[in-house]
Amino acid sequence: MTGVPASAAGGSSGAQGAVPGSAATSGAAPDPSGPQNAGVENSGTENSGAESAGAGNSGAGNSGAGSAGGGNAGGGSIGAAGSGSRDGERPARGGRKIAAAAVNQASLWNVANLLTMLRLVLVPGFVALMLAGGGYDPAWRSLAWAAFAIAMITDLFDGHLARTYNLVTDFGKIADPIADKAIMGAALICLSSLGDLPWWVTVVILGRELGITLLRFLVIRYGVIPASRGGKLKTLTQGVAVGMYVLALTGWLATLRFWVMAAAVVLTVVTGLDYVRQAIVLRRQGIAERAAALEETEA
C-alpha cells in the first residue's frame, strides 16, 4: 500500500520538474499499451509542438493536461505559420503584377509589331522612290516596286505571327490596318497623279477600303464582321495589280496588268457589297437579341 503513493508521488514530482518542450524527459517507463502513453501519442501526432509537453507527464491526469496544452501550443504555432505565409504572399502578388505589367509593356516591341512599323516607315520611302526622276525612271520605279513588295509581304506575315504566337496587342490592332491602307493608298495616288492609272479606279478602291473600315466601327457594338475568302483574294489581286503598275512594263505585260487591275476592281466592289450585307444582317440580329433580352428582364 505504501509503494503505490510513492510511485505516484515520484511521477508527479517528475512531471513538475519537467521542462515543457524538452526532449530529455522521456516517458518510456510506462507501459506503451497504457492510457498515459496513448495520450502522448495523440498529442505528438496531432501537434508537433506538444510532443515533449505530453511526454513529460507520466500521470494519467497530467498527460491529459499536457496534451491539451500541447494542442494550444500547436494551434498557436500553426496560426503563426499561417499568418507568416499570408504576409509572404502579399509581396509575391505585387511582384507578379509588376512582372506582368513589364511583359505587357515589352510586348509592344514583338516581331509582329516591328513588321507593322516597318510598313509604316516604308510608306514615305516608297513615295520618294516612286516620284524620283520625274516618276518615269525605270530604275527608281524598280526600287519603288521593291519597297512596295516588302510592305505587302510583311502584311502577310505580321498578322499570322501575331495570331500564332499570341503577340496581339492594341497597337497592332490599330496600326496594322492603317499600314495596309497607307501603302496601298500611296501607291494608287502616285500612279494616278503620274497618269498611269485612271483616277476613278483609285477612288473606287480607296472609297471601298475607307467605307468598309468605317462600317466595321459602326456595327462593332453588335459583333465583328469576319474577313472572308473573297476579301483575302481581293487584297492579293490588288497587290499584284498595283505592283505591276508600279513597274515600268511594256508590251503584253502592260496588257496583262490592265486585266489584273480590272479583276481587282471587280473583287473590290463585290466584296464591298458583301460586307455591307453582312453588316446589315449583324445589326438586325443584334437589335433582335437586345429586344429579347429586354423582354426577359421585364418579365
Side-chain angles (χ1 to χ4, degrees), residues 62 79 86 112 180 238 257 259 262 271:
N62 291 337
R86 287 193 296 270
D180 298 343
Q238 281 184 0
R257 72 181 182 183
W259 291 108
T271 56

Side-chain angles (χ1 to χ4, degrees), residues 66-89:
S67 176
N72 291 334
S77 63
I78 292 173
S83 176
S85 63
R86 287 193 296 270
D87 292 340
E89 286 178 358

Side-chain angles (χ1 to χ4, degrees), residues 85-111:
S85 63
R86 287 193 296 270
D87 292 340
E89 286 178 358
R90 290 173 185 172
R93 292 175 181 172
R96 286 195 296 268
K97 291 180 180 179
I98 295 173
V103 169
N104 292 335
Q105 185 67 20
S107 65
L108 174 65
W109 303 99
N110 60 53
V111 177

